[in-house]
Amino acid sequence: MSTSQFHIIGHELCPYVQRAVITMLELGIPFDRTDIELNNKPDWLSKLSPTGKVPVLIVDQTTAMFESTVISEYLQENGAQAFHPSDALDRGLHRAWIAYGDQILDVIATIIYRTQTETEQVEAFGKIAGMFAILDKQVSEGPYFAGSQFQLIDAVYATVFRFLPALGLLATMDLLAACPRLRRWSHALAHRSSVVSAVPNQFDVMLRQFIADQSSFAAAQLR
Ligand SMILES: N[C@@H](CCC(=O)N[C@@H](CS)C(=O)NCC(=O)O)C(=O)O
């Protein structure tokens, strides 16, 4: 096992793991990383993760913390650099839009794992397009969500937008059709070095294969 202060247990493609990893890269926090297989979880995971999910952050080789946003907030509170707005109202609003990002990730997970028919899938894509259109009105002139500073909310949406190439192979609609700001924002996020480094180079290929291995309508489309 690692002797580092921070050791993250993750999965190569998981957006929630990326959220914690991008946070550590942005804050300059050294860490070790162990990726597991979700369909063949190691026995020791259940001792660390009460939900059986990743990410888990092992702190000082003793304490296991779970839930990606909690992990990211803990890391920034424990460090020297802010990764959230300093104003309480702005911070609250960022947390609300992060929760909104989690809801979009839930719909994406539904498409990857659960939808069984084209009708269900079209409905799910419509939901994402509608949520993106609402989000578009919240985004600043750029380059990031609230302006020039890359913050936790940017880390969260970088992982949401990373699904777009794979979703583009499945959807018959352009999910960003009504979203000029999201188009620009997603482009800026994709080029951020922490975002690039949080996943393997072959992410898009690996994600396509991961989706094809499920038992959903999307999986059948990709096979
Ligand atoms: N709310 C959790 C979600 C974590 C999550 O859903 N992780 C997925 C991988 S992307 C997982 O571990 N799934 C395994 C399972 O559900 O058994 C967080 O933010 O950390």
Side-chain angles (χ1 to χ4, degrees):
M1 262 294 171
S2 144
T3 54
S4 303
Q5 184 183 6
F6 298 114
H7 182 181
I8 190 138
I9 311 300
H11 177 267
E12 282 176 310
L13 309 177
C14 173
Y16 305 99
V17 172
Q18 292 171 49
R19 183 179 306 185
V21 167
I22 293 170
T23 300
M24 291 190 275
L25 293 172
E26 286 288 337
L27 300 181
I29 297 172
F31 64 97
D32 286 336
R33 174 172 181 168
T34 301
D35 287 314
I36 61 158
E37 295 300 326
L38 292 177
N39 56 5
N40 185 21
K41 293 178 188 168
D43 293 340
W44 47 260
L45 184 68
S46 61
K47 294 195 183 73
L48 298 174
S49 172
T51 58
K53 294 180 191 251
V54 291
V56 176
L57 183 73
I58 306 172
V59 182
D60 293 330
Q61 300 140 60
T62 49
T63 308
M65 182 178 284
F66 60 105
E67 282 299 324
S68 59
T69 298
V70 176
I71 291 171
S72 292
E73 292 197 341
Y74 160 74
L75 287 165
Q76 72 116 26
E77 281 165 22
N78 197 41
Q81 205 181 318
F83 203 37
H84 247 334
S86 53
D87 178 78
L89 181 58
D90 288 342
R91 198 161 57 247
L93 290 172
H94 277 221
R95 286 187 175 128
W97 287 106
I98 286 171
Y100 189 83
D102 283 344
Q103 289 175 30
I104 298 175
L105 286 172
D106 281 346
V107 184
I108 294 173
T110 296
I111 291 169
I112 293 175
Y113 295 110
R114 288 181 286 279
T115 50
Q116 291 300 325
T117 64
E118 186 171 7
T119 309
E120 281 171 14
Q121 197 193 62
V122 168
E123 196 181 311
F125 275 125
K127 195 165 176 187
I128 294 176
M131 292 181 84
F132 276 164
I134 291 170
L135 177 67
D136 195 67
K137 297 183 179 54
Q138 302 300 321
V139 180
S140 77
E141 290 295 332
Y144 300 118
F145 179 79
S148 60
Q149 229 183 321
F150 183 98
Q151 296 175 299
L152 178 53
I153 191 162
D154 295 291
V156 170
Y157 281 96
T159 76
V160 172
F161 297 140
R162 181 121 64 192
F163 282 104
L164 287 175
L167 297 182
L169 299 173
L170 304 167
T172 49
M173 63 184 85
D174 176 358
L175 295 174
L176 295 185
C179 309
R181 287 177 184 232
L182 295 198
R183 242 181 235 291
R184 187 193 25 69
W185 183 29
S186 60
H187 190 74
L189 293 177
H191 289 87
R192 184 88 180 177
S193 122
S194 62
V195 172
V196 173
S197 308
V199 294
N201 290 338
Q202 293 297 305
F203 178 87
D204 284 332
V205 176
M206 292 167 73
L207 179 61
R208 282 204 297 275
Q209 187 57 54
F210 181 85
I211 297 172
D213 289 342
Q214 308 307 316
S215 52
S216 54
F217 180 76
Q221 265 180 303
L222 287 185
R223 281 197 297 262

mmCIF file of all heavy atoms in Angstrom, residues 11 13-17 19 38 41 51-55 66-69 71 102 113, ligand 1:
data_model
loop_
_atom_site.group_PDB
_atom_site.id
_atom_site.type_symbol
_atom_site.label_atom_id
_atom_site.label_comp_id
_atom_site.label_asym_id
_atom_site.label_seq_id
_atom_site.Cartn_x
_atom_site.Cartn_y
_atom_site.Cartn_z
ATOM 1 N N HIS A 11 -11.295 4.632 -10.776
ATOM 2 C CA HIS A 11 -11.521 3.858 -11.997
ATOM 3 C C HIS A 11 -11.115 4.778 -13.141
ATOM 4 O O HIS A 11 -11.365 5.990 -13.086
ATOM 5 C CB HIS A 11 -12.998 3.456 -12.114
ATOM 6 C CG HIS A 11 -13.314 2.722 -13.378
ATOM 7 N ND1 HIS A 11 -13.765 3.350 -14.516
ATOM 8 C CD2 HIS A 11 -13.205 1.415 -13.682
ATOM 9 C CE1 HIS A 11 -13.934 2.456 -15.465
ATOM 10 N NE2 HIS A 11 -13.603 1.281 -14.996
ATOM 11 N N LEU A 13 -12.167 5.584 -15.986
ATOM 12 C CA LEU A 13 -13.125 6.372 -16.768
ATOM 13 C C LEU A 13 -14.114 7.152 -15.915
ATOM 14 O O LEU A 13 -14.885 7.951 -16.442
ATOM 15 C CB LEU A 13 -13.907 5.438 -17.712
ATOM 16 C CG LEU A 13 -13.079 4.501 -18.591
ATOM 17 C CD1 LEU A 13 -13.991 3.590 -19.403
ATOM 18 C CD2 LEU A 13 -12.179 5.315 -19.523
ATOM 19 N N CYS A 14 -14.107 6.939 -14.606
ATOM 20 C CA CYS A 14 -15.166 7.490 -13.743
ATOM 21 C C CYS A 14 -15.093 9.021 -13.623
ATOM 22 O O CYS A 14 -14.055 9.569 -13.249
ATOM 23 C CB CYS A 14 -15.053 6.863 -12.352
ATOM 24 S SG CYS A 14 -16.172 7.622 -11.161
ATOM 25 N N PRO A 15 -16.204 9.722 -13.917
ATOM 26 C CA PRO A 15 -16.185 11.183 -13.839
ATOM 27 C C PRO A 15 -15.986 11.705 -12.412
ATOM 28 O O PRO A 15 -15.416 12.776 -12.216
ATOM 29 C CB PRO A 15 -17.566 11.591 -14.382
ATOM 30 C CG PRO A 15 -18.432 10.376 -14.191
ATOM 31 C CD PRO A 15 -17.515 9.196 -14.346
ATOM 32 N N TYR A 16 -16.487 10.938 -11.427
ATOM 33 C CA TYR A 16 -16.366 11.397 -10.034
ATOM 34 C C TYR A 16 -14.918 11.270 -9.555
ATOM 35 O O TYR A 16 -14.428 12.106 -8.798
ATOM 36 C CB TYR A 16 -17.312 10.598 -9.134
ATOM 37 C CG TYR A 16 -18.740 10.641 -9.614
ATOM 38 C CD1 TYR A 16 -19.291 9.593 -10.346
ATOM 39 C CD2 TYR A 16 -19.524 11.767 -9.372
ATOM 40 C CE1 TYR A 16 -20.588 9.638 -10.805
ATOM 41 C CE2 TYR A 16 -20.829 11.819 -9.837
ATOM 42 C CZ TYR A 16 -21.353 10.755 -10.556
ATOM 43 O OH TYR A 16 -22.643 10.820 -11.022
ATOM 44 N N VAL A 17 -14.251 10.234 -10.014
ATOM 45 C CA VAL A 17 -12.823 10.084 -9.694
ATOM 46 C C VAL A 17 -12.045 11.236 -10.330
ATOM 47 O O VAL A 17 -11.190 11.863 -9.691
ATOM 48 C CB VAL A 17 -12.294 8.714 -10.191
ATOM 49 C CG1 VAL A 17 -10.788 8.625 -10.038
ATOM 50 C CG2 VAL A 17 -12.993 7.589 -9.451
ATOM 51 N N ARG A 19 -13.018 14.145 -10.905
ATOM 52 C CA ARG A 19 -13.288 15.386 -10.151
ATOM 53 C C ARG A 19 -12.257 15.551 -9.030
ATOM 54 O O ARG A 19 -11.675 16.619 -8.847
ATOM 55 C CB ARG A 19 -14.702 15.298 -9.565
ATOM 56 C CG ARG A 19 -15.162 16.499 -8.823
ATOM 57 C CD ARG A 19 -16.588 16.306 -8.304
ATOM 58 N NE ARG A 19 -17.540 15.924 -9.343
ATOM 59 C CZ ARG A 19 -18.853 15.787 -9.171
ATOM 60 N NH1 ARG A 19 -19.379 16.017 -7.964
ATOM 61 N NH2 ARG A 19 -19.645 15.442 -10.147
ATOM 62 N N LEU A 38 -14.589 -2.050 -12.088
ATOM 63 C CA LEU A 38 -15.895 -1.966 -11.417
ATOM 64 C C LEU A 38 -16.654 -3.289 -11.482
ATOM 65 O O LEU A 38 -17.478 -3.581 -10.618
ATOM 66 C CB LEU A 38 -16.746 -0.852 -12.040
ATOM 67 C CG LEU A 38 -16.235 0.574 -11.799
ATOM 68 C CD1 LEU A 38 -17.107 1.575 -12.521
ATOM 69 C CD2 LEU A 38 -16.164 0.887 -10.320
ATOM 70 N N LYS A 41 -14.590 -5.950 -8.479
ATOM 71 C CA LYS A 41 -14.041 -5.108 -7.406
ATOM 72 C C LYS A 41 -13.192 -5.933 -6.442
ATOM 73 O O LYS A 41 -13.580 -7.061 -6.096
ATOM 74 C CB LYS A 41 -15.183 -4.470 -6.614
ATOM 75 C CG LYS A 41 -16.000 -3.469 -7.404
ATOM 76 C CD LYS A 41 -17.130 -2.939 -6.541
ATOM 77 C CE LYS A 41 -18.086 -2.091 -7.333
ATOM 78 N NZ LYS A 41 -19.325 -1.796 -6.616
ATOM 79 N N THR A 51 -20.315 2.638 0.309
ATOM 80 C CA THR A 51 -21.270 2.509 -0.799
ATOM 81 C C THR A 51 -20.772 1.526 -1.851
ATOM 82 O O THR A 51 -21.490 1.228 -2.801
ATOM 83 C CB THR A 51 -21.469 3.879 -1.483
ATOM 84 O OG1 THR A 51 -20.180 4.334 -1.927
ATOM 85 C CG2 THR A 51 -22.061 4.905 -0.545
ATOM 86 N N GLY A 52 -19.515 1.077 -1.715
ATOM 87 C CA GLY A 52 -18.932 0.200 -2.737
ATOM 88 C C GLY A 52 -18.539 0.958 -3.989
ATOM 89 O O GLY A 52 -18.231 0.365 -5.017
ATOM 90 N N LYS A 53 -18.579 2.305 -3.905
ATOM 91 C CA LYS A 53 -18.275 3.116 -5.089
ATOM 92 C C LYS A 53 -16.899 3.762 -4.968
ATOM 93 O O LYS A 53 -16.359 3.900 -3.866
ATOM 94 C CB LYS A 53 -19.330 4.225 -5.249
ATOM 95 C CG LYS A 53 -20.709 3.684 -5.570
ATOM 96 C CD LYS A 53 -21.697 4.831 -5.717
ATOM 97 C CE LYS A 53 -23.107 4.312 -5.778
ATOM 98 N NZ LYS A 53 -23.752 4.404 -7.041
ATOM 99 N N VAL A 54 -16.381 4.205 -6.122
ATOM 100 C CA VAL A 54 -15.187 5.040 -6.148
ATOM 101 C C VAL A 54 -15.613 6.431 -6.615
ATOM 102 O O VAL A 54 -16.627 6.545 -7.293
ATOM 103 C CB VAL A 54 -14.119 4.451 -7.108
ATOM 104 C CG1 VAL A 54 -13.563 3.167 -6.537
ATOM 105 C CG2 VAL A 54 -14.656 4.239 -8.523
ATOM 106 N N PRO A 55 -14.884 7.485 -6.255
ATOM 107 C CA PRO A 55 -13.589 7.489 -5.593
ATOM 108 C C PRO A 55 -13.676 7.298 -4.082
ATOM 109 O O PRO A 55 -14.669 7.643 -3.459
ATOM 110 C CB PRO A 55 -13.062 8.905 -5.883
ATOM 111 C CG PRO A 55 -14.296 9.757 -5.910
ATOM 112 C CD PRO A 55 -15.337 8.865 -6.555
ATOM 113 N N PHE A 66 -15.194 9.269 1.284
ATOM 114 C CA PHE A 66 -15.900 8.982 0.029
ATOM 115 C C PHE A 66 -16.746 10.177 -0.363
ATOM 116 O O PHE A 66 -16.841 11.141 0.384
ATOM 117 C CB PHE A 66 -16.731 7.698 0.162
ATOM 118 C CG PHE A 66 -17.792 7.738 1.247
ATOM 119 C CD1 PHE A 66 -19.131 7.891 0.917
ATOM 120 C CD2 PHE A 66 -17.450 7.626 2.580
ATOM 121 C CE1 PHE A 66 -20.107 7.928 1.899
ATOM 122 C CE2 PHE A 66 -18.422 7.664 3.576
ATOM 123 C CZ PHE A 66 -19.757 7.817 3.224
ATOM 124 N N GLU A 67 -17.354 10.136 -1.538
ATOM 125 C CA GLU A 67 -18.146 11.197 -2.177
ATOM 126 C C GLU A 67 -17.215 12.271 -2.771
ATOM 127 O O GLU A 67 -16.563 13.026 -2.042
ATOM 128 C CB GLU A 67 -19.159 11.849 -1.225
ATOM 129 C CG GLU A 67 -20.399 11.014 -1.002
ATOM 130 C CD GLU A 67 -21.185 10.747 -2.296
ATOM 131 O OE1 GLU A 67 -21.238 11.633 -3.153
ATOM 132 O OE2 GLU A 67 -21.717 9.642 -2.447
ATOM 133 N N SER A 68 -17.201 12.331 -4.097
ATOM 134 C CA SER A 68 -16.208 13.149 -4.801
ATOM 135 C C SER A 68 -16.238 14.640 -4.449
ATOM 136 O O SER A 68 -15.179 15.257 -4.307
ATOM 137 C CB SER A 68 -16.382 12.971 -6.311
ATOM 138 O OG SER A 68 -17.684 13.341 -6.708
ATOM 139 N N THR A 69 -17.421 15.222 -4.317
ATOM 140 C CA THR A 69 -17.445 16.658 -4.015
ATOM 141 C C THR A 69 -16.940 16.913 -2.600
ATOM 142 O O THR A 69 -16.216 17.884 -2.346
ATOM 143 C CB THR A 69 -18.877 17.229 -4.196
ATOM 144 O OG1 THR A 69 -19.240 17.066 -5.559
ATOM 145 C CG2 THR A 69 -18.944 18.701 -3.848
ATOM 146 N N ILE A 71 -14.762 15.075 -1.031
ATOM 147 C CA ILE A 71 -13.302 14.898 -1.115
ATOM 148 C C ILE A 71 -12.658 16.178 -1.655
ATOM 149 O O ILE A 71 -11.691 16.690 -1.083
ATOM 150 C CB ILE A 71 -12.955 13.698 -2.036
ATOM 151 C CG1 ILE A 71 -13.384 12.384 -1.375
ATOM 152 C CG2 ILE A 71 -11.474 13.682 -2.377
ATOM 153 C CD1 ILE A 71 -13.288 11.151 -2.286
ATOM 154 N N ASP A 102 -24.277 16.747 -11.254
ATOM 155 C CA ASP A 102 -24.442 15.342 -10.830
ATOM 156 C C ASP A 102 -25.720 14.755 -11.424
ATOM 157 O O ASP A 102 -25.766 13.570 -11.775
ATOM 158 C CB ASP A 102 -24.495 15.251 -9.303
ATOM 159 C CG ASP A 102 -23.119 15.382 -8.675
ATOM 160 O OD1 ASP A 102 -22.110 15.247 -9.395
ATOM 161 O OD2 ASP A 102 -23.042 15.618 -7.459
ATOM 162 N N TYR A 113 -26.015 2.577 -18.966
ATOM 163 C CA TYR A 113 -26.272 1.295 -18.298
ATOM 164 C C TYR A 113 -27.701 0.771 -18.462
ATOM 165 O O TYR A 113 -27.916 -0.435 -18.426
ATOM 166 C CB TYR A 113 -26.039 1.417 -16.782
ATOM 167 C CG TYR A 113 -24.624 1.694 -16.360
ATOM 168 C CD1 TYR A 113 -24.267 2.929 -15.835
ATOM 169 C CD2 TYR A 113 -23.639 0.707 -16.435
ATOM 170 C CE1 TYR A 113 -22.968 3.187 -15.406
ATOM 171 C CE2 TYR A 113 -22.341 0.953 -16.016
ATOM 172 C CZ TYR A 113 -22.016 2.193 -15.508
ATOM 173 O OH TYR A 113 -20.739 2.438 -15.093
HETATM 174 N N1 LIG B 1 -21.884 10.294 -5.594
HETATM 175 C C1 LIG B 1 -20.689 9.512 -5.799
HETATM 176 C C2 LIG B 1 -20.817 8.728 -7.083
HETATM 177 C C3 LIG B 1 -19.659 7.764 -7.326
HETATM 178 C C4 LIG B 1 -19.996 6.720 -8.383
HETATM 179 O O1 LIG B 1 -21.151 6.584 -8.817
HETATM 180 N N2 LIG B 1 -18.968 5.975 -8.802
HETATM 181 C C5 LIG B 1 -19.196 4.874 -9.725
HETATM 182 C C6 LIG B 1 -18.146 4.845 -10.814
HETATM 183 S S1 LIG B 1 -18.263 6.239 -11.885
HETATM 184 C C7 LIG B 1 -19.040 3.555 -8.997
HETATM 185 O O2 LIG B 1 -18.172 3.400 -8.177
HETATM 186 N N3 LIG B 1 -19.887 2.572 -9.344
HETATM 187 C C8 LIG B 1 -19.770 1.238 -8.814
HETATM 188 C C9 LIG B 1 -21.036 0.762 -8.215
HETATM 189 O O3 LIG B 1 -22.034 1.510 -8.210
HETATM 190 O O4 LIG B 1 -21.031 -0.362 -7.738
HETATM 191 C C10 LIG B 1 -19.474 10.456 -5.821
HETATM 192 O O5 LIG B 1 -19.646 11.635 -6.173
HETATM 193 O O6 LIG B 1 -18.356 10.040 -5.445
#
